[in-house]
Amino acid sequence: MSDSHDYPVSAAAGAGTPTELDARLVSCRACPRLVAWREETARTKRLAFRDWEYWGRPVPGFGPANAPLVVSGLAPAAHGANRTGRMFTGDQAGDLLFATLHELGLASRATATHRGDGLELHGVRVTAPVHCAPPANLPTTAERDTCRPWLARELELLRPTARAVVVLGGFGWQAVLPALREAGWDLPRPRPAFGHGVRAALTHTDGVTAPLTLFGCYHVSRRNVQTGRLTPGMLREVLAEAAHTAGLPVVRPEPG
């Protein structure tokens, strides 16, 4: 049952493709606090979006199923992806992320407003370790761990093509590492600590899969951008390097 605490484990394991995984994920009700919050937010809405029909469900990954580059954030925003039903769509964090991907030639357009806006990602899949909007934008560690099978299976299904993963923020970093381990990747010892621009090379336990490079990046949150902790140039640099590592062609802005 989708409201069972064990649902993510069994449902994720049975998915044979990212598309099938997404279809199973959107029915998940395993975390009562998150279910209550996402649905209450969808019911009450924000005044600016009172005419919207909120998504109000778990938000699946977005991008091609054979992506060489994976970008993982934290969790959907209450009035962003929880409203639009697509990762990083409808909030300021997504505005910066997709504008930068577009600048690098990795997205078809610079803006993301709703699921039918025509946005397509080129060789990039955007996902998260927690798929429901949490109160105060902060899931509990138990909710993070309950949701982990979805990300672990997604990374496992992307294994044939994935060559680089960009993780946004320290919480996301701590969530992605065990998901990568469950997906079959060996983690360096000691585990790499999060930092902007940090990178770590991972090998797969099968001894055949191509190496995967993990990149750390400050989260594209409004606070980080407003305080200058993360600038558009800093984000562009990490995404460009990760895309290059993944073998994707990158449009690099001319100096000045």
Side-chain angles (χ1 to χ4, degrees):
M1 295 176 61
S2 64
D3 58 351
S4 167
H5 185 78
D6 295 329
Y7 176 75
V9 176
S10 59
T17 65
T19 299
E20 186 178 355
L21 184 77
D22 294 344
R24 293 172 176 227
L25 182 149
V26 298
S27 298
C28 186
R29 302 179 63 84
C31 298
R33 188 182 77 114
L34 297 188
V35 171
W37 174 255
R38 80 193 190 204
E39 294 180 354
E40 174 65 12
T41 302
R43 185 184 66 81
T44 58
K45 305 181 181 181
R46 177 174 282 172
L47 185 60
F49 305 122
R50 62 184 180 275
D51 295 331
W52 275 78
E53 181 178 346
Y54 274 53
W55 174 258
R57 290 179 279 167
V59 181
F62 169 54
N66 60 348
L69 174 59
V70 180
V71 177
S72 180
L74 171 59
H79 302 282
N82 187 55
R83 170 174 59 91
T84 64
R86 192 173 68 192
M87 285 292 178
F88 281 103
T89 299
D91 59 37
Q92 291 182 326
D95 291 344
L96 176 59
L97 176 62
F98 290 124
T100 305
L101 289 173
H102 176 69
E103 184 179 355
L104 295 172
L106 302 175
S108 63
R109 51 182 288 162
T111 57
T113 56
H114 60 283
R115 294 194 307 282
D117 60 12
L119 173 65
E120 295 181 358
L121 300 183
H122 307 312
V124 181
R125 185 168 174 89
V126 179
T127 189
V130 176
H131 288 271
C132 291
N137 293 320
L138 189 62
T140 66
T141 54
E143 290 162 349
R144 176 200 67 190
D145 294 346
T146 297
C147 205
R148 182 184 300 151
W150 298 115
L151 179 60
R153 182 58 176 159
E154 187 173 17
L155 292 169
E156 187 177 13
L157 292 170
L158 291 168
R159 177 175 56 84
T161 58
R163 299 294 178 265
V165 177
V166 174
V167 182
L168 303 174
F171 186 98
W173 184 269
Q174 293 302 319
V176 167
L177 289 177
L180 284 165
R181 183 189 60 215
E182 289 186 15
W185 297 95
D186 277 327
L187 300 181
R189 294 185 179 182
R191 286 191 181 187
F194 173 75
H196 183 82
V198 166
R199 58 188 296 174
L202 310 182
T203 57
H204 200 274
T205 55
D206 65 7
V208 176
T209 299
L212 184 74
T213 305
L214 189 64
F215 292 81
C217 180
Y218 290 143
H219 197 278
V220 289
S221 68
R222 180 172 59 180
R223 175 180 296 181
N224 280 349
V225 174
Q226 287 179 339
T227 60
R229 189 183 194 198
L230 178 70
T231 66
M234 291 167 63
L235 176 63
R236 185 188 312 116
E237 183 178 5
V238 172
L239 288 175
E241 183 61 26
H244 176 74
T245 301
L248 293 171
V250 176
V251 177
R252 295 186 181 272
E254 296 182 3

